[in-house]
Every structure is written in C-alpha cells, then in structure tokens.
C-alpha cells in the first residue's frame, strides 16, 4: 500500500503510524527507490509524496523452553535540529547557552553548539507547533532573552519553491508568505542572499544557490 504525505508529517512519524521501529524500514524498501532519488534527505519530505508501506513481517526467534525471555524493541528517537542565528551575534558567542523547546506543557532543554546548531530528542507525543526559548546573556542566567515560534515537520525540500522561501525567511532574507510562488519579493530575497554569499546574482534559486541555502540553514 502507499501513503500520501501530508503537511507536517515526517518519515519517522509515518513509520510509527504503521508500527515500524525505524523509518529506514520504509525508506530502504526497494519499492521506494524513486522516492529515495527524489528525497535524498528522508527527514525533509513534501506533501503529496507517495511512500510505499511494506508489509510487516513478524520476527521469529529460537529460544529455550521453560525459561523466561525478555525482548526489547529499540525504537529510534525523532530529533528536531535547527540552527540559531541572531543579528549581530556570531555562532561562537551563542555556544553553550541554554535553549528550551516548549512543546505544549513539556520543556525540553539543550545547549547551543559552537556552530550555532541545537537539537532536542522529541517525546512520543508530537505537536506541530512549538516555541524555542533562548537564554543568551553573559552571565548564563535563567532570563529568557528570545522566543521563536516554530513549526515542526513543516519544512519542505529545497527543490520546492516553498522550501527555498522558508529557508530564506528564517535566515533573515524576507520572502513574505511561504506560498511556493517565487515572484518579485522572493526573487529580491534570493538576490540579497546570493549577494551576501558572493554568488552570481540572478534571483534564480538554482542548484548552487540551493546548496548554499541548505548549508547555512542546516538542511
């Protein structure tokens, strides 16, 4: 059977929905060869993508009788990873500062890495909307200095116009509404990004520009 991807879904969530311990069981299936070629990053998929769901094959074990046996299923943790970039702040100045991901009433704490990246292992109960709280001050106090609203699982692939727009907006090159339409405002944002990265300034998000966007955004 095939599953049609909806906005906000990740391959890990789809795997859990169908009872698989890892997303690799779906992603590596031979029937998903075309999907793998189209989506080289299984964590960034697109609404409308069709993913083949293989049949679950029950595991079998040979064990001794009249003994107690314990079997543990290792399920992969879903990770939310992002890059924090603040105006007038270098990546090094952010390193080591606390960052909390608020998912409903649950607060997940982490530390910003030297390159500005930060990640959290997500709980079983997943929500799409969350908030990042940053504690960026010299004395590492518990005072919240920044709050950022985020949508988990909503990032589209870089090959899609909406994926280009979302990354540009997050990096401070404003495209306006993420609507998959690379019109005048988006073209201007692309040019500003290209100029900042010393690329050919043509307003077209070609492979080189897409690669730079992925590099600076983080995925």
């Amino acid at each position: 059977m095939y599953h049609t991807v909806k906005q906000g879904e990740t391959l890990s969530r789809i795997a859990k929905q169908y009872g698989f311990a890892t997303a690799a069981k779906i992603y590596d299936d031979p029937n998903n060869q075309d999907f793998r070629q189209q989506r080289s990053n299984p964590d960034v998929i697109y609404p409308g993508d069709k993913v083949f769901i293989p049949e679950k094959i029950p595991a079998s074990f040979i064990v001794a009788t009249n003994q107690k046996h314990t079997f543990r299923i290792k399920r992969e943790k879903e990770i939310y990873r992002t890059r924090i970039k603040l105006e007038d702040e270098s990546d090094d100045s952010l390193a080591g500062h606390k960052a909390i991901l608020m998912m409903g009433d649950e607060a997940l704490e982490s530390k910003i890495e030297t390159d500005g990246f930060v990640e959290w292992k997500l709980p079983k109960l997943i929500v799409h909307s969350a908030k990042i709280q940053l504690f960026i001050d010299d004395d590492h106090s518990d005072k919240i200095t920044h709050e950022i609203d985020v949508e988990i699982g909503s990032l589209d692939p870089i090959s899609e116009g909406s994926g280009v727009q979302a990354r540009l907006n997050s990096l401070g090159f404003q495209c306006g509404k993420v609507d998959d339409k690379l019109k005048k405002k988006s073209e201007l944002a692309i040019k500003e990004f290209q100029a900042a990265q010393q690329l050919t300034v043509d307003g077209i998000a070609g492979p080189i520009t897409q690669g730079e966007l992925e590099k600076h955004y983080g995925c």
Side-chain angles (χ1 to χ4, degrees):
M1 64 174 291
Y2 280 87
H3 176 94
T4 301
V5 175
K6 303 178 183 64
Q7 185 67 55
E9 285 187 321
T10 64
L11 202 58
S12 293
R13 295 179 192 179
I14 293 171
K16 289 178 183 178
Q17 177 181 337
Y18 289 95
F20 291 95
T22 67
K25 293 292 185 181
I26 296 176
Y27 190 69
D28 294 337
D29 188 274
N31 291 290
N32 283 320
Q33 180 179 354
D34 291 342
F35 174 73
R36 287 196 301 275
Q37 291 177 345
Q38 186 179 22
R39 308 297 177 210
S40 58
N41 183 348
D43 294 323
V44 185
I45 55 181
Y46 191 64
D49 285 347
K50 292 190 180 299
V51 181
F52 179 78
I53 307 299
E55 181 182 357
K56 286 186 65 179
I57 300 175
S60 60
F61 304 91
I62 299 175
V63 297
T65 59
N66 299 320
Q67 294 184 24
K68 181 179 179 180
H69 302 278
T70 301
F71 299 93
R72 292 185 175 88
I73 300 176
K74 187 176 181 180
R75 299 186 181 276
E76 64 184 359
K77 288 279 189 179
E78 189 170 5
I79 294 175
Y80 178 65
R81 180 174 173 84
T82 191
R83 188 178 189 183
I84 305 297
K85 293 183 73 69
L86 301 177
E87 190 174 358
D88 300 326
E89 293 280 356
S90 68
D91 291 344
D92 289 341
S93 68
L94 301 178
H97 286 282
K98 182 168 66 174
I100 289 179
L101 182 67
M102 294 296 303
M103 303 186 71
D105 295 329
E106 189 158 3
L108 307 176
E109 184 174 331
S110 187
K111 297 287 185 182
I112 302 176
E113 301 168 11
T114 54
D115 51 7
F117 284 98
V118 60
E119 66 179 39
W120 297 268
K121 290 183 179 180
L122 301 183
K124 292 181 179 180
L125 180 60
I126 301 298
V127 298
H128 296 300
S129 296
K131 187 185 295 290
I132 296 175
Q133 296 177 340
L134 301 179
F135 301 78
I136 311 296
D137 56 9
D138 293 336
D139 57 1
H140 291 257
S141 71
D142 286 332
K143 177 184 177 182
I144 299 173
T145 57
H146 303 77
E147 285 192 320
I148 306 167
D149 292 320
V150 294
E151 296 292 326
I152 296 177
S154 63
L155 182 67
D156 291 337
I158 190 64
S159 59
E160 307 296 334
S162 53
V164 171
Q165 291 172 317
R167 288 168 176 82
L168 284 169
N169 281 342
S170 295
L171 292 171
F173 303 91
Q174 295 304 317
C175 294
K177 183 179 179 181
V178 177
D179 57 7
D180 205 29
K181 299 175 183 178
L182 299 182
K183 294 186 177 180
K184 187 174 181 179
K185 194 168 185 179
S186 294
E187 289 177 4
L188 180 59
I190 293 170
K191 287 181 178 179
E192 290 175 348
F193 175 79
Q194 290 171 331
Q197 305 309 320
Q198 299 182 337
L199 305 175
T200 299
V201 179
D202 57 10
I204 300 171
I208 294 177
T209 299
Q210 289 180 12
E212 284 296 309
L213 271 173
E214 285 188 308
K215 174 184 173 182
H216 286 275
Y217 184 84
C219 64

